[in-house]
Amino acid sequence: MSLRETIQYSLMVLLYLFLQIFFMRNMVLFNYAFCFIYIAGVLLMPPDIDRMYLLLIAFAIGFTVDVFSNTFGMHAAATVLIAYLRPFLIHFQMKSKGAERAEVGIRTQGLGAFIAYIFPLILIHHSVLFFMEINHFGMILYTLIRIGASTLLTTLLVILLELFSKR
């Protein structure tokens, strides 16, 4: 990755963190749908990034959100998990397509393949995050609804951000 790409992706991550910390943490739809746009910083990283760097970046992103949200490592754990699983999903999609080089983005993958890439990772992130904060099993239905609604909202906003980005 060149210096220009490194600066570009660093600014992208900072923008997503800024949006999450100052705008999205207060945005809740119908007390169910929460938007965690900061995970787009991990999802939209180049596929050829070293796994250790990706895990460190994911931890830093999650830890930053934890500091501002007062959630004691929950975002960091969920973000590191999707950063760990991301290369496996990219490799699986690349193998199923028969492609030699993977690219991440709507313009390169197409809308269907892009959704097939981000949706499972967002679902895993939200599931881990919401199941960590569950207090008792009486809240399981409420938690499942929150996972589904938040996954749909975050997926929609990541797609919109990707459509309007200049990358």
Side-chain angles (χ1 to χ4, degrees):
M1 198 161 54
S2 69
L3 179 63
R4 180 176 180 259
E5 289 174 327
T6 304
I7 292 171
Q8 181 182 3
Y9 283 108
S10 299
L11 291 175
M12 177 188 72
V13 167
L14 289 175
L15 173 69
Y16 292 148
L17 278 172
F18 179 80
L19 286 173
Q20 180 66 41
I21 291 168
F22 293 109
F23 297 108
M24 296 300 171
R25 82 172 171 183
N26 298 324
M27 188 175 117
V28 181
L29 296 178
F30 310 113
N31 204 22
Y32 289 109
F34 296 83
C35 183
F36 299 111
I37 198 68
Y38 71 93
I39 62 174
V42 174
L43 297 175
L44 300 177
M45 284 283 172
D48 56 351
I49 190 169
D50 187 44
R51 181 175 286 184
M52 187 57 70
Y53 290 136
L54 183 64
L55 291 173
L56 288 173
I57 291 168
F59 177 76
I61 291 171
F63 184 74
T64 304
V65 173
D66 281 328
V67 166
F68 285 97
S69 301
N70 202 20
T71 50
F72 305 111
M74 291 177 6
H75 289 277
T79 308
V80 167
L81 177 65
I82 66 166
Y84 180 76
L85 296 174
R86 178 181 177 262
F88 297 114
L89 187 61
I90 289 174
H91 179 72
F92 175 74
Q93 280 190 339
M94 209 170 67
K95 208 167 147 183
S96 68
K97 276 182 154 178
E100 293 184 19
R101 186 165 187 271
E103 292 291 328
V104 174
I106 289 179
R107 289 170 187 83
T108 56
Q109 289 179 293
L111 183 61
F114 184 70
I115 291 173
Y117 161 67
I118 65 168
F119 187 78
L121 292 173
I122 292 173
L123 181 65
I124 290 169
H125 175 271
H126 289 17
S127 298
V128 168
L129 190 64
F130 288 128
F131 278 129
M132 273 196 286
E133 75 175 18
I134 195 169
N135 291 330
H136 54 84
F137 286 110
M139 293 180 61
I140 194 79
L141 182 63
Y142 175 69
T143 302
L144 290 174
I145 293 171
R146 284 175 55 187
I147 290 169
S150 299
T151 300
L152 291 175
L153 179 63
T154 304
T155 302
L156 179 68
L157 286 177
V158 169
I159 290 170
L160 287 175
L161 279 174
E162 180 64 15
L163 282 174
F164 293 112
S165 72
K166 281 189 163 185
R167 276 189 314 128

